[in-house]
Structures are given as C-alpha cells and as structure tokens.
DNA sequence: TCAGACTCCTCCTTTACCTCA
DNA sequence: GTTGAGGTAAAGGAGGAGTCT
C-alpha cells in the first residue's frame, strides 16, 4: 500500500532524513491513509513494543520516531477527552447533589415548622422520631444512609461514570 | 547484596507550523 | 492578503524501570 498518495503540502517528507541533523524542524502532515492506519493500530493497542513500532513505520513509510510520537500525542488526546468527560460527569454529580441538598433543606424546614405547631406531648425526643416523611420508611439511625455514600456521590445518585474507549 | 551508571520508555509541557474561518 | 484560533507534529526534560558492572 502506498501511504504517500493523496498527501497535502509537506506530507510524507517525514521519512526523509533532511532534518536528521536537528537543524531544521519541518512540519509534516500525515496523510489520511496514514492517520487511519495509525488509528486502527491504536484501537488494538495504545502502546507499542519496538517490533510493532518498526513494523508500523515500515508499513507507513515513516520513521519509527514519528510513529512513537504519534502514539504519544494520541494517548495525550485520549486523556484530554477523558478529562473532559470526567469533568462533565462531576458537573452532573454536583448539580444532582445541589438539587438533593435543596430538597433536604426544604424538608427540614417543613419538619421544623411541623414541630413548632405540635402540642407539647407530641414533641418526642429525636431518637424516637425515626420515620422519614419523604420516603415513609422507619429507620433506627437517621445518619447511617448518608454516611454510606458520602464518599461516593455517584453511587448515591446512581450515575454511571462514562469511559472513553480507545 | 547493594549502589551507581547507563539505557530505554512514557508522560508532560512547550514550541513551531499548518489550516481554516 | 492578513490575522487569530485551533489542531497537531515534534522537541526536550523529568522520572521510573530494567540491566550491567
């Protein structure tokens, strides 16, 4: 396969050795075929062993260093994308928690209002008042459920963490 | 067995260049 | 034709792991 077909501008001069001395730093553009082939390889393995690197370089008519650098940059791009996805995910978590907090604050206010309205004999100690008015479940420890998920808001909110696949 | 030198590899940051609106 | 932003190939340095003496 000829990977130098259809190149734009300075593509495919990477295999030349005119910048081997380090004096010039030519910017080349990989051809679509080369990029596509590298992408396919990246899907199979995100890092290369020396044999794979050499084989790829030979196949694409590039220097091994170029293949290496391409994989380096590709891993960086993947990581950046994953960071963006993680950021979105955390934003959603934050929004959900804010909403949950708002709801609980409101509920607390309602409970306080209810308490001031009730006659004295109805005002039992807090430890015996264990029914949650929102879910109508009876519990013995009101702080237990919150403590279980305090370090994992996602688990508490049932939000699946998204993952970028190579 | 341990320490130091060396090599190789990956990651991260920066630079330089290309493309496009 | 010029310019600025965004994308990306490439360079260079830091640090970790493996090998050798």
């Amino acid at each position: 396969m000829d990977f130098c077909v259809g190149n734009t501008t300075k593509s495919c001069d990477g295999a030349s050795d005119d910048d081997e001395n380090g004096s010039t730093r030519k910017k080349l553009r990989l051809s679509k075929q080369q990029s596509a082939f590298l992408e396919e390889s990246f899907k199979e393995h995100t890092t290369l062993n020396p044999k794979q690197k050499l084989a790829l370089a030979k196949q694409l008519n590039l220097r091994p260093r170029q293949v290496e650098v391409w994989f380096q940059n590709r891993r960086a791009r993947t990581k950046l994308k994953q960071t963006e996805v993680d950021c979105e995910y955390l934003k959603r978590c934050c929004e959900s928690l804010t909403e949950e907090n708002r709801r609980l604050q409101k509920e607390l206010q309602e409970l306080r209002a209810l308490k001031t309205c009730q006659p004295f004999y109805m005002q039992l100690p807090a430890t015996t008042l264990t029914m949650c008015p929102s879910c109508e479940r009876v519990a013995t420890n009101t702080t237990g459920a919150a403590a279980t998920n305090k370090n994992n808001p996602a688990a508490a909110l049932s939000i699946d963490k998204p993952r970028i696949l190579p």
Side-chain angles (χ1 to χ4, degrees):
Chain A
M1 195 187 291
D2 182 8
F3 283 103
C4 281
V5 176
N7 288 326
T8 59
T9 61
K10 290 178 179 175
S11 300
C12 267
D13 55 359
S16 68
D17 52 2
D18 57 356
D19 55 349
E20 288 291 305
N21 55 16
S23 60
T24 57
R25 183 169 156 183
K26 279 195 178 173
K27 184 86 175 184
L28 70 103
R29 197 86 192 169
L30 300 178
S31 71
K32 278 184 180 168
Q33 289 100 325
Q34 284 171 323
S35 295
F37 201 86
L38 287 165
E39 279 291 344
E40 284 305 309
S41 305
F42 189 79
K43 277 181 194 169
E44 285 172 29
H45 26 66
T46 56
T47 55
L48 293 174
N49 61 38
K51 249 186 178 177
Q52 291 170 325
K53 195 201 302 180
L54 277 174
L56 258 181
K58 199 173 177 186
Q59 218 163 347
L60 298 175
N61 192 29
L62 294 171
R63 278 174 285 128
R65 173 67 181 158
Q66 283 179 291
V67 174
E68 186 183 311
V69 165
W70 187 92
F71 268 75
Q72 235 173 65
N73 287 320
R74 185 64 180 77
R75 283 192 292 271
R77 284 197 289 274
T78 301
K79 193 174 179 183
L80 190 67
K81 271 268 187 296
Q82 184 60 54
T83 303
E84 284 171 10
V85 169
D86 285 351
C87 195
E88 270 306 307
Y89 162 75
L90 288 173
K91 233 165 86 182
R92 276 172 53 208
C93 281
C94 186
E95 283 166 5
S96 297
L97 286 171
T98 304
E99 182 54 39
E100 174 79 352
N101 186 41
R102 201 171 295 138
R103 190 185 65 73
L104 288 170
Q105 290 286 353
K106 193 180 163 196
E107 200 174 297
L108 184 62
Q109 266 188 351
E110 285 170 6
L111 282 172
R112 280 180 176 147
L114 199 67
K115 192 179 173 187
T116 54
C117 290
Q118 280 174 344
F120 177 74
Y121 66 86
M122 290 283 284
Q123 294 179 17
L124 300 170
T127 50
T128 61
L129 201 63
T130 54
M131 182 184 279
C132 172
S134 62
C135 63
E136 295 184 355
R137 263 186 289 174
V138 177
T140 54
N141 185 356
T142 54
T143 59
T148 306
N149 291 319
K150 71 176 182 181
N151 291 326
N152 190 356
L157 298 166
S158 303
I159 299 174
D160 291 331
K161 190 168 183 177
R163 278 280 138 208
I164 297 256
L165 296 172

